[in-house]
Amino acid sequence: MPSVRRRDRNGDGKSPRRGRVKHGAERVEPADRDRALALTPVSRETLERLDRFVALLLTWQRTTNLIAPSTVSHLWTRHIADSLQLLDLAPEARVWVDLGAGGGFPGLAIACALAGRPGAHVHLVESNNKKAAFLREAQRVTETPASVHAARIEDFVASFEGGADVVASRAVAPLKSLLDQCFPLLGKSGAMGLFPNPAGRIIVIRDVERSRRT
């Protein structure tokens, strides 16, 4: 049965590094980075990877719409912390599948946190070729345990032969449509589904099965 959790984007805290990153008229505010790290504390190594990821994303964002421009100033709380909080819901998960990975959320951020964990791997599924190219470069720059699949969700699901602990997606499609597309992954491997939606909630799916119709 699905359960719903609200996301908390408030918080205070200090981080070892501060900086202001320009993005045209938009800027990533240092205070936002601090708030995100207070909400979802990470190791020094993970933070270094996240900083590399964010710097690359902002560079590509000038020519490729990876995230909504209105969210650049609070990128850390809106995207990074939003993604990392999923780890608390599946602390033992090693293999993640991110459907519609887009700018790398939640999958690439999660891969940054899982780097160095034995058996960890994140599959990033993205049909847009420009975004898939960005994800490949982000994986290279961050040296994370991730692979990019430039494919439609339904095609990836049909061809994927491995197992997964978590299937995640972030506001890619309506829940019913998304469940129809990824049901083979959820049903075959018994994976948990974690789906942040536009209303600011996390939908948790466990033990999914098709209903029998008479």
Short mmCIF file of all heavy atoms in Angstrom, two decimals, residues 69-137:
data_model
loop_
_atom_site.label_atom_id
_atom_site.label_comp_id
_atom_site.label_asym_id
_atom_site.label_seq_id
_atom_site.Cartn_x
_atom_site.Cartn_y
_atom_site.Cartn_z
N PRO A 69 14.34 27.39 -14.19
CA PRO A 69 15.16 28.55 -13.83
C PRO A 69 14.75 29.18 -12.49
O PRO A 69 15.60 29.70 -11.77
CB PRO A 69 14.92 29.52 -15.00
CG PRO A 69 14.62 28.62 -16.16
CD PRO A 69 13.84 27.47 -15.58
N SER A 70 13.47 29.12 -12.17
CA SER A 70 13.00 29.73 -10.92
C SER A 70 13.52 29.01 -9.68
O SER A 70 13.42 29.54 -8.57
CB SER A 70 11.47 29.74 -10.89
OG SER A 70 10.96 28.41 -10.94
N THR A 71 14.08 27.81 -9.86
CA THR A 71 14.57 27.04 -8.70
C THR A 71 16.08 27.11 -8.53
O THR A 71 16.62 26.53 -7.59
CB THR A 71 14.16 25.55 -8.81
OG1 THR A 71 14.85 24.94 -9.91
CG2 THR A 71 12.67 25.40 -9.01
N VAL A 72 16.77 27.85 -9.42
CA VAL A 72 18.23 27.90 -9.33
C VAL A 72 18.69 28.49 -8.01
O VAL A 72 19.63 27.98 -7.38
CB VAL A 72 18.81 28.71 -10.51
CG1 VAL A 72 20.30 28.99 -10.31
CG2 VAL A 72 18.59 27.97 -11.82
N SER A 73 18.06 29.54 -7.53
CA SER A 73 18.52 30.21 -6.31
C SER A 73 18.42 29.32 -5.08
O SER A 73 19.18 29.47 -4.13
CB SER A 73 17.72 31.50 -6.08
OG SER A 73 16.34 31.21 -5.89
N HIS A 74 17.48 28.37 -5.08
CA HIS A 74 17.38 27.42 -3.96
C HIS A 74 17.56 25.99 -4.46
O HIS A 74 16.87 25.07 -4.03
CB HIS A 74 16.06 27.61 -3.20
CG HIS A 74 14.83 27.61 -4.06
ND1 HIS A 74 14.50 28.63 -4.91
CD2 HIS A 74 13.84 26.69 -4.20
CE1 HIS A 74 13.36 28.36 -5.53
NE2 HIS A 74 12.94 27.17 -5.12
N LEU A 75 18.55 25.82 -5.32
CA LEU A 75 18.85 24.52 -5.90
C LEU A 75 19.16 23.46 -4.84
O LEU A 75 18.74 22.31 -4.95
CB LEU A 75 20.03 24.67 -6.87
CG LEU A 75 20.49 23.48 -7.71
CD1 LEU A 75 21.23 24.01 -8.93
CD2 LEU A 75 21.37 22.52 -6.96
N TRP A 76 19.88 23.86 -3.80
CA TRP A 76 20.30 22.87 -2.80
C TRP A 76 19.13 22.32 -2.00
O TRP A 76 19.06 21.10 -1.78
CB TRP A 76 21.35 23.48 -1.86
CG TRP A 76 22.72 23.51 -2.48
CD1 TRP A 76 23.22 24.47 -3.31
CD2 TRP A 76 23.72 22.52 -2.35
NE1 TRP A 76 24.50 24.13 -3.70
CE2 TRP A 76 24.84 22.95 -3.12
CE3 TRP A 76 23.81 21.31 -1.64
CZ2 TRP A 76 26.02 22.20 -3.20
CZ3 TRP A 76 25.00 20.58 -1.72
CH2 TRP A 76 26.07 21.02 -2.50
N THR A 77 18.22 23.15 -1.56
CA THR A 77 17.08 22.62 -0.82
C THR A 77 16.03 22.04 -1.75
O THR A 77 15.44 20.99 -1.45
CB THR A 77 16.42 23.72 0.06
OG1 THR A 77 16.17 24.89 -0.73
CG2 THR A 77 17.31 24.07 1.23
N ARG A 78 15.81 22.68 -2.88
CA ARG A 78 14.74 22.23 -3.79
C ARG A 78 15.10 20.93 -4.51
O ARG A 78 14.22 20.10 -4.77
CB ARG A 78 14.46 23.33 -4.82
CG ARG A 78 13.38 22.97 -5.84
CD ARG A 78 12.03 22.83 -5.18
NE ARG A 78 11.01 22.43 -6.15
CZ ARG A 78 10.73 21.18 -6.48
NH1 ARG A 78 11.43 20.18 -5.92
NH2 ARG A 78 9.79 20.90 -7.34
N HIS A 79 16.37 20.72 -4.80
CA HIS A 79 16.75 19.55 -5.58
C HIS A 79 17.68 18.58 -4.84
O HIS A 79 17.43 17.38 -4.81
CB HIS A 79 17.38 19.99 -6.90
CG HIS A 79 16.48 20.79 -7.78
ND1 HIS A 79 15.37 20.24 -8.40
CD2 HIS A 79 16.49 22.11 -8.11
CE1 HIS A 79 14.75 21.18 -9.10
NE2 HIS A 79 15.40 22.32 -8.95
N ILE A 80 18.77 19.10 -4.25
CA ILE A 80 19.73 18.22 -3.59
C ILE A 80 19.13 17.57 -2.35
O ILE A 80 19.10 16.34 -2.21
CB ILE A 80 21.02 18.97 -3.23
CG1 ILE A 80 21.71 19.53 -4.48
CG2 ILE A 80 21.96 18.06 -2.44
CD1 ILE A 80 22.28 18.48 -5.40
N ALA A 81 18.65 18.38 -1.40
CA ALA A 81 18.09 17.82 -0.17
C ALA A 81 16.84 17.00 -0.46
O ALA A 81 16.61 15.96 0.17
CB ALA A 81 17.77 18.94 0.83
N ASP A 82 16.03 17.46 -1.40
CA ASP A 82 14.84 16.70 -1.81
C ASP A 82 15.21 15.29 -2.24
O ASP A 82 14.50 14.33 -1.95
CB ASP A 82 14.16 17.41 -2.99
CG ASP A 82 12.85 18.07 -2.57
OD1 ASP A 82 12.63 18.20 -1.37
OD2 ASP A 82 12.08 18.43 -3.46
N SER A 83 16.33 15.18 -2.94
CA SER A 83 16.77 13.88 -3.43
C SER A 83 17.39 13.04 -2.32
O SER A 83 17.08 11.85 -2.16
CB SER A 83 17.79 14.07 -4.56
OG SER A 83 17.21 14.77 -5.65
N LEU A 84 18.28 13.63 -1.54
CA LEU A 84 19.01 12.88 -0.52
C LEU A 84 18.11 12.35 0.59
O LEU A 84 18.43 11.33 1.21
CB LEU A 84 20.11 13.75 0.08
CG LEU A 84 21.25 14.15 -0.86
CD1 LEU A 84 22.25 15.03 -0.11
CD2 LEU A 84 21.94 12.93 -1.44
N GLN A 85 16.98 13.00 0.83
CA GLN A 85 16.11 12.53 1.90
C GLN A 85 15.53 11.14 1.60
O GLN A 85 15.13 10.43 2.52
CB GLN A 85 14.98 13.51 2.13
CG GLN A 85 14.00 13.60 0.98
CD GLN A 85 12.82 14.49 1.30
OE1 GLN A 85 12.47 14.68 2.46
NE2 GLN A 85 12.21 15.05 0.27
N LEU A 86 15.53 10.74 0.35
CA LEU A 86 15.02 9.42 0.01
C LEU A 86 15.88 8.31 0.61
O LEU A 86 15.39 7.21 0.86
CB LEU A 86 14.95 9.25 -1.51
CG LEU A 86 14.03 10.21 -2.27
CD1 LEU A 86 14.04 9.86 -3.75
CD2 LEU A 86 12.62 10.18 -1.72
N LEU A 87 17.14 8.60 0.86
CA LEU A 87 18.04 7.59 1.42
C LEU A 87 17.57 7.12 2.79
O LEU A 87 17.76 5.95 3.15
CB LEU A 87 19.46 8.15 1.51
CG LEU A 87 20.17 8.35 0.17
CD1 LEU A 87 21.40 9.23 0.36
CD2 LEU A 87 20.56 7.02 -0.44
N ASP A 88 16.97 8.00 3.56
CA ASP A 88 16.48 7.61 4.89
C ASP A 88 15.33 6.62 4.82
O ASP A 88 15.08 5.89 5.77
CB ASP A 88 16.03 8.85 5.68
CG ASP A 88 17.21 9.71 6.12
OD1 ASP A 88 18.34 9.17 6.20
OD2 ASP A 88 17.01 10.91 6.37
N LEU A 89 14.62 6.62 3.70
CA LEU A 89 13.49 5.71 3.54
C LEU A 89 13.92 4.32 3.07
O LEU A 89 13.14 3.37 3.15
CB LEU A 89 12.48 6.29 2.55
CG LEU A 89 11.87 7.64 2.95
CD1 LEU A 89 10.96 8.16 1.84
CD2 LEU A 89 11.10 7.52 4.26
N ALA A 90 15.14 4.22 2.58
CA ALA A 90 15.66 2.93 2.11
C ALA A 90 17.15 2.84 2.44
O ALA A 90 18.00 2.80 1.56
CB ALA A 90 15.43 2.78 0.61
N PRO A 91 17.50 2.84 3.73
CA PRO A 91 18.91 2.94 4.13
C PRO A 91 19.77 1.75 3.71
O PRO A 91 20.98 1.89 3.59
CB PRO A 91 18.83 3.05 5.65
CG PRO A 91 17.51 2.44 6.02
CD PRO A 91 16.59 2.78 4.88
N GLU A 92 19.16 0.60 3.49
CA GLU A 92 19.93 -0.59 3.11
C GLU A 92 19.97 -0.81 1.60
O GLU A 92 20.63 -1.73 1.13
CB GLU A 92 19.34 -1.84 3.79
CG GLU A 92 19.29 -1.76 5.31
CD GLU A 92 20.66 -1.51 5.91
OE1 GLU A 92 21.63 -2.14 5.42
OE2 GLU A 92 20.77 -0.70 6.84
N ALA A 93 19.27 -0.01 0.85
CA ALA A 93 19.20 -0.19 -0.60
C ALA A 93 20.55 0.06 -1.25
O ALA A 93 21.27 1.00 -0.87
CB ALA A 93 18.15 0.75 -1.20
N ARG A 94 20.88 -0.79 -2.20
CA ARG A 94 22.14 -0.65 -2.93
C ARG A 94 21.91 -0.29 -4.40
O ARG A 94 22.62 0.53 -4.95
CB ARG A 94 22.93 -1.96 -2.85
CG ARG A 94 23.43 -2.30 -1.45
CD ARG A 94 24.46 -1.30 -0.96
NE ARG A 94 25.04 -1.68 0.31
CZ ARG A 94 24.54 -1.34 1.50
NH1 ARG A 94 23.42 -0.61 1.55
NH2 ARG A 94 25.14 -1.70 2.61
N VAL A 95 20.93 -0.93 -5.02
CA VAL A 95 20.69 -0.70 -6.45
C VAL A 95 19.43 0.14 -6.63
O VAL A 95 18.34 -0.27 -6.20
CB VAL A 95 20.56 -2.03 -7.20
CG1 VAL A 95 20.31 -1.77 -8.69
CG2 VAL A 95 21.82 -2.88 -7.02
N TRP A 96 19.60 1.30 -7.23
CA TRP A 96 18.51 2.24 -7.46
C TRP A 96 18.29 2.40 -8.96
O TRP A 96 19.24 2.34 -9.74
CB TRP A 96 18.83 3.61 -6.87
CG TRP A 96 18.90 3.67 -5.38
CD1 TRP A 96 19.80 3.03 -4.56
CD2 TRP A 96 18.05 4.43 -4.51
NE1 TRP A 96 19.55 3.35 -3.25
CE2 TRP A 96 18.50 4.20 -3.19
CE3 TRP A 96 16.97 5.28 -4.74
CZ2 TRP A 96 17.88 4.81 -2.09
CZ3 TRP A 96 16.36 5.89 -3.65
CH2 TRP A 96 16.81 5.64 -2.34
N VAL A 97 17.04 2.60 -9.34
CA VAL A 97 16.70 2.96 -10.72
C VAL A 97 15.95 4.28 -10.67
O VAL A 97 14.92 4.41 -10.00
CB VAL A 97 15.82 1.88 -11.39
CG1 VAL A 97 15.38 2.34 -12.77
CG2 VAL A 97 16.57 0.55 -11.49
N ASP A 98 16.47 5.29 -11.37
CA ASP A 98 15.84 6.60 -11.43
C ASP A 98 15.21 6.75 -12.81
O ASP A 98 15.91 6.84 -13.82
CB ASP A 98 16.87 7.70 -11.19
CG ASP A 98 16.29 9.10 -11.26
OD1 ASP A 98 15.06 9.23 -11.38
OD2 ASP A 98 17.07 10.07 -11.21
N LEU A 99 13.89 6.78 -12.85
CA LEU A 99 13.16 6.87 -14.11
C LEU A 99 12.91 8.33 -14.47
O LEU A 99 12.27 9.06 -13.73
CB LEU A 99 11.84 6.11 -14.00
CG LEU A 99 11.94 4.62 -13.65
CD1 LEU A 99 10.56 4.01 -13.46
CD2 LEU A 99 12.72 3.86 -14.72
N GLY A 100 13.40 8.75 -15.64
CA GLY A 100 13.27 10.15 -16.03
C GLY A 100 14.22 11.01 -15.22
O GLY A 100 13.81 11.98 -14.58
N ALA A 101 15.51 10.67 -15.25
CA ALA A 101 16.49 11.29 -14.35
C ALA A 101 16.71 12.77 -14.62
O ALA A 101 17.14 13.50 -13.73
CB ALA A 101 17.82 10.54 -14.46
N GLY A 102 16.46 13.24 -15.83
CA GLY A 102 16.52 14.67 -16.13
C GLY A 102 17.86 15.29 -15.79
O GLY A 102 18.90 14.92 -16.31
N GLY A 103 17.86 16.25 -14.86
CA GLY A 103 19.07 16.92 -14.43
C GLY A 103 19.85 16.18 -13.37
O GLY A 103 20.80 16.73 -12.81
N GLY A 104 19.44 14.93 -13.08
CA GLY A 104 20.18 14.13 -12.10
C GLY A 104 19.50 13.99 -10.76
O GLY A 104 20.13 13.55 -9.79
N PHE A 105 18.22 14.32 -10.70
CA PHE A 105 17.49 14.24 -9.43
C PHE A 105 16.33 13.26 -9.54
O PHE A 105 15.53 13.36 -10.46
CB PHE A 105 16.96 15.63 -9.06
CG PHE A 105 18.04 16.68 -9.01
CD1 PHE A 105 18.12 17.65 -9.98
CD2 PHE A 105 18.98 16.66 -8.00
CE1 PHE A 105 19.12 18.60 -9.96
CE2 PHE A 105 19.99 17.62 -7.97
CZ PHE A 105 20.06 18.59 -8.94
N PRO A 106 16.25 12.31 -8.63
CA PRO A 106 17.12 12.17 -7.46
C PRO A 106 18.38 11.34 -7.70
O PRO A 106 19.27 11.30 -6.85
CB PRO A 106 16.23 11.45 -6.46
CG PRO A 106 15.40 10.54 -7.32
CD PRO A 106 15.12 11.33 -8.57
N GLY A 107 18.51 10.65 -8.85
CA GLY A 107 19.49 9.59 -9.00
C GLY A 107 20.94 9.97 -8.86
O GLY A 107 21.70 9.30 -8.16
N LEU A 108 21.39 11.05 -9.52
CA LEU A 108 22.80 11.40 -9.46
C LEU A 108 23.20 11.89 -8.08
O LEU A 108 24.29 11.59 -7.58
CB LEU A 108 23.13 12.44 -10.53
CG LEU A 108 24.57 12.52 -11.07
CD1 LEU A 108 25.54 13.05 -10.04
CD2 LEU A 108 25.03 11.16 -11.57
N ALA A 109 22.30 12.64 -7.42
CA ALA A 109 22.57 13.09 -6.05
C ALA A 109 22.70 11.88 -5.12
O ALA A 109 23.58 11.84 -4.25
CB ALA A 109 21.46 14.02 -5.57
N ILE A 110 21.84 10.90 -5.30
CA ILE A 110 21.91 9.68 -4.49
C ILE A 110 23.20 8.92 -4.78
O ILE A 110 23.86 8.41 -3.87
CB ILE A 110 20.67 8.80 -4.74
CG1 ILE A 110 19.45 9.44 -4.07
CG2 ILE A 110 20.88 7.38 -4.23
CD1 ILE A 110 18.14 8.79 -4.42
N ALA A 111 23.59 8.86 -6.04
CA ALA A 111 24.84 8.19 -6.41
C ALA A 111 26.04 8.86 -5.73
O ALA A 111 26.99 8.17 -5.34
CB ALA A 111 25.01 8.19 -7.93
N CYS A 112 26.00 10.18 -5.59
CA CYS A 112 27.08 10.88 -4.89
C CYS A 112 27.19 10.39 -3.45
O CYS A 112 28.29 10.24 -2.91
CB CYS A 112 26.84 12.39 -4.91
SG CYS A 112 27.13 13.20 -6.51
N ALA A 113 26.05 10.15 -2.81
CA ALA A 113 26.04 9.71 -1.42
C ALA A 113 26.42 8.24 -1.28
O ALA A 113 26.94 7.83 -0.24
CB ALA A 113 24.67 9.97 -0.80
N LEU A 114 26.16 7.44 -2.31
CA LEU A 114 26.42 6.00 -2.24
C LEU A 114 27.82 5.62 -2.71
O LEU A 114 28.21 4.45 -2.58
CB LEU A 114 25.39 5.24 -3.09
CG LEU A 114 23.94 5.28 -2.63
CD1 LEU A 114 23.07 4.46 -3.57
CD2 LEU A 114 23.79 4.76 -1.20
N ALA A 115 28.57 6.56 -3.25
CA ALA A 115 29.91 6.25 -3.75
C ALA A 115 30.76 5.64 -2.63
O ALA A 115 30.80 6.15 -1.51
CB ALA A 115 30.58 7.52 -4.28
N GLY A 116 31.40 4.53 -2.94
CA GLY A 116 32.22 3.85 -1.94
C GLY A 116 31.50 2.77 -1.18
O GLY A 116 32.14 1.97 -0.48
N ARG A 117 30.17 2.70 -1.30
CA ARG A 117 29.41 1.66 -0.62
C ARG A 117 29.44 0.39 -1.48
O ARG A 117 29.06 0.43 -2.65
CB ARG A 117 27.98 2.10 -0.39
CG ARG A 117 27.15 1.09 0.39
CD ARG A 117 25.76 1.59 0.69
NE ARG A 117 25.76 2.77 1.53
CZ ARG A 117 24.65 3.33 2.03
NH1 ARG A 117 23.46 2.81 1.73
NH2 ARG A 117 24.74 4.39 2.78
N PRO A 118 29.86 -0.73 -0.94
CA PRO A 118 29.95 -1.97 -1.73
C PRO A 118 28.62 -2.34 -2.36
O PRO A 118 27.58 -2.33 -1.70
CB PRO A 118 30.38 -3.01 -0.69
CG PRO A 118 31.10 -2.23 0.37
CD PRO A 118 30.36 -0.92 0.45
N GLY A 119 28.66 -2.65 -3.64
CA GLY A 119 27.46 -3.08 -4.36
C GLY A 119 26.53 -1.99 -4.78
O GLY A 119 25.49 -2.26 -5.41
N ALA A 120 26.86 -0.73 -4.49
CA ALA A 120 25.95 0.37 -4.82
C ALA A 120 26.01 0.70 -6.31
O ALA A 120 27.09 0.72 -6.92
CB ALA A 120 26.30 1.61 -4.01
N HIS A 121 24.86 0.94 -6.91
CA HIS A 121 24.80 1.36 -8.30
C HIS A 121 23.45 2.03 -8.56
O HIS A 121 22.42 1.59 -8.05
CB HIS A 121 24.97 0.19 -9.26
CG HIS A 121 25.30 0.63 -10.65
ND1 HIS A 121 26.57 0.93 -11.04
CD2 HIS A 121 24.51 0.86 -11.74
CE1 HIS A 121 26.57 1.32 -12.31
NE2 HIS A 121 25.32 1.28 -12.76
N VAL A 122 23.49 3.10 -9.34
CA VAL A 122 22.27 3.83 -9.70
C VAL A 122 22.13 3.83 -11.21
O VAL A 122 23.05 4.24 -11.93
CB VAL A 122 22.30 5.28 -9.17
CG1 VAL A 122 21.02 6.01 -9.56
CG2 VAL A 122 22.50 5.30 -7.66
N HIS A 123 20.98 3.37 -11.70
CA HIS A 123 20.68 3.39 -13.13
C HIS A 123 19.87 4.66 -13.42
O HIS A 123 18.78 4.86 -12.86
CB HIS A 123 19.87 2.16 -13.52
CG HIS A 123 20.62 0.87 -13.34
ND1 HIS A 123 21.46 0.36 -14.31
CD2 HIS A 123 20.66 -0.01 -12.29
CE1 HIS A 123 21.99 -0.77 -13.88
NE2 HIS A 123 21.52 -1.02 -12.67
N LEU A 124 20.41 5.51 -14.27
CA LEU A 124 19.78 6.77 -14.63
C LEU A 124 19.13 6.63 -15.99
O LEU A 124 19.81 6.47 -17.01
CB LEU A 124 20.81 7.90 -14.65
CG LEU A 124 21.64 8.06 -13.37
CD1 LEU A 124 22.81 9.00 -13.61
CD2 LEU A 124 20.76 8.56 -12.23
N VAL A 125 17.81 6.68 -16.04
CA VAL A 125 17.07 6.46 -17.28
C VAL A 125 16.53 7.80 -17.78
O VAL A 125 15.76 8.47 -17.08
CB VAL A 125 15.90 5.47 -17.05
CG1 VAL A 125 15.18 5.19 -18.37
CG2 VAL A 125 16.41 4.18 -16.42
N GLU A 126 16.94 8.20 -18.97
CA GLU A 126 16.55 9.51 -19.51
C GLU A 126 16.48 9.42 -21.03
O GLU A 126 17.46 9.09 -21.70
CB GLU A 126 17.56 10.58 -19.09
CG GLU A 126 17.31 11.95 -19.68
CD GLU A 126 15.90 12.45 -19.44
OE1 GLU A 126 15.47 12.49 -18.26
OE2 GLU A 126 15.21 12.79 -20.44
N SER A 127 15.31 9.73 -21.60
CA SER A 127 15.11 9.61 -23.05
C SER A 127 15.59 10.82 -23.83
O SER A 127 15.84 10.73 -25.03
CB SER A 127 13.63 9.37 -23.35
OG SER A 127 12.84 10.46 -22.92
N ASN A 128 15.74 11.96 -23.15
CA ASN A 128 16.21 13.17 -23.83
C ASN A 128 17.72 13.08 -24.03
O ASN A 128 18.48 12.97 -23.05
CB ASN A 128 15.84 14.41 -23.00
CG ASN A 128 16.27 15.70 -23.67
OD1 ASN A 128 17.44 16.01 -23.73
ND2 ASN A 128 15.29 16.46 -24.15
N ASN A 129 18.18 13.14 -25.27
CA ASN A 129 19.60 12.91 -25.56
C ASN A 129 20.51 13.97 -24.93
O ASN A 129 21.61 13.65 -24.48
CB ASN A 129 19.83 12.85 -27.07
CG ASN A 129 19.31 11.57 -27.68
OD1 ASN A 129 19.29 10.52 -27.03
ND2 ASN A 129 18.88 11.64 -28.93
N LYS A 130 20.07 15.23 -24.90
CA LYS A 130 20.90 16.28 -24.30
C LYS A 130 21.04 16.06 -22.80
O LYS A 130 22.14 16.20 -22.24
CB LYS A 130 20.30 17.66 -24.58
CG LYS A 130 20.45 18.13 -26.01
CD LYS A 130 19.95 19.55 -26.17
CE LYS A 130 20.15 20.05 -27.59
NZ LYS A 130 19.65 21.44 -27.75
N LYS A 131 19.95 15.71 -22.16
CA LYS A 131 20.02 15.46 -20.72
C LYS A 131 20.82 14.20 -20.42
O LYS A 131 21.55 14.13 -19.43
CB LYS A 131 18.61 15.37 -20.14
CG LYS A 131 17.86 16.69 -20.17
CD LYS A 131 16.45 16.56 -19.61
CE LYS A 131 15.74 17.91 -19.66
NZ LYS A 131 14.34 17.82 -19.13
N ALA A 132 20.68 13.18 -21.27
CA ALA A 132 21.47 11.97 -21.09
C ALA A 132 22.96 12.27 -21.23
O ALA A 132 23.79 11.72 -20.49
CB ALA A 132 21.04 10.90 -22.09
N ALA A 133 23.32 13.16 -22.16
CA ALA A 133 24.72 13.55 -22.32
C ALA A 133 25.22 14.26 -21.08
O ALA A 133 26.36 14.04 -20.62
CB ALA A 133 24.87 14.45 -23.56
N PHE A 134 24.38 15.14 -20.51
CA PHE A 134 24.76 15.80 -19.27
C PHE A 134 24.98 14.79 -18.15
O PHE A 134 25.95 14.87 -17.40
CB PHE A 134 23.68 16.80 -18.84
CG PHE A 134 23.81 17.21 -17.39
CD1 PHE A 134 24.81 18.07 -16.99
CD2 PHE A 134 22.95 16.67 -16.44
CE1 PHE A 134 24.96 18.42 -15.65
CE2 PHE A 134 23.09 17.02 -15.10
CZ PHE A 134 24.09 17.89 -14.70
N LEU A 135 24.08 13.82 -18.03
CA LEU A 135 24.19 12.83 -16.97
C LEU A 135 25.49 12.03 -17.11
O LEU A 135 26.13 11.70 -16.10
CB LEU A 135 22.98 11.90 -17.00
CG LEU A 135 21.65 12.54 -16.60
CD1 LEU A 135 20.50 11.58 -16.88
CD2 LEU A 135 21.66 12.93 -15.12
N ARG A 136 25.87 11.69 -18.33
CA ARG A 136 27.12 10.96 -18.53
C ARG A 136 28.32 11.79 -18.07
O ARG A 136 29.24 11.27 -17.42
CB ARG A 136 27.29 10.57 -20.00
CG ARG A 136 26.31 9.53 -20.49
CD ARG A 136 26.70 8.99 -21.86
NE ARG A 136 25.64 8.14 -22.39
CZ ARG A 136 24.70 8.53 -23.22
NH1 ARG A 136 24.67 9.79 -23.63
NH2 ARG A 136 23.79 7.68 -23.66
N GLU A 137 28.30 13.07 -18.41
CA GLU A 137 29.40 13.94 -17.98
C GLU A 137 29.39 14.12 -16.47
O GLU A 137 30.45 14.14 -15.82
CB GLU A 137 29.29 15.30 -18.69
CG GLU A 137 30.39 16.28 -18.34
CD GLU A 137 31.77 15.83 -18.79
OE1 GLU A 137 31.89 14.80 -19.49
OE2 GLU A 137 32.76 16.51 -18.42
#
